[in-house]
Amino acid sequence: MKKLDKIMAVVMSLTGAYFLGFVIWQAYDHGVHPERYVTQSAPWYLSIEINALITAGVMAVEMILYILLRRFAEKRGKK
């Protein structure tokens, strides 16, 4: 059970770290190259919002998978 906890903690942490890195990179790129974002019809932070929704979905699936695996492991351990 502890091994599953560690693995899922690492997977969810990597997902969060990816999103944080993307946000930092996007904000930095907007500060360095604002001319790229002037011509777009959408705001420059729209890609961050879309990525936030995707990341939230992925993390929700990871949490559901974690809960299901944990329940399966508990049932298997009781038998």
Side-chain angles (χ1 to χ4, degrees):
M1 187 67 76
K2 290 182 181 181
K3 189 174 185 178
L4 174 65
D5 291 341
K6 288 181 182 179
I7 290 171
M8 290 307 291
V10 167
V11 169
M12 287 189 265
S13 297
L14 287 174
T15 304
Y18 160 76
F19 177 69
L20 183 61
F22 177 79
V23 169
I24 291 171
W25 173 80
Q26 190 73 24
Y28 170 76
D29 191 51
H30 179 260
V32 174
H33 305 289
E35 65 278 356
R36 289 185 191 170
Y37 301 95
V38 171
T39 59
Q40 295 178 352
S41 61
W44 69 272
Y45 53 84
L46 183 65
S47 62
I48 294 174
E49 292 174 345
I50 292 171
N51 204 323
L53 292 174
I54 293 170
T55 303
V58 169
M59 296 224 25
V61 169
E62 289 172 353
M63 284 187 252
I64 291 169
L65 180 65
Y66 173 66
I67 291 168
L68 291 174
L69 288 174
R70 191 173 179 114
R71 285 187 184 173
F72 177 73
E74 287 174 357
K75 285 182 182 179
R76 189 173 176 205
K78 289 182 182 179
K79 291 183 180 181

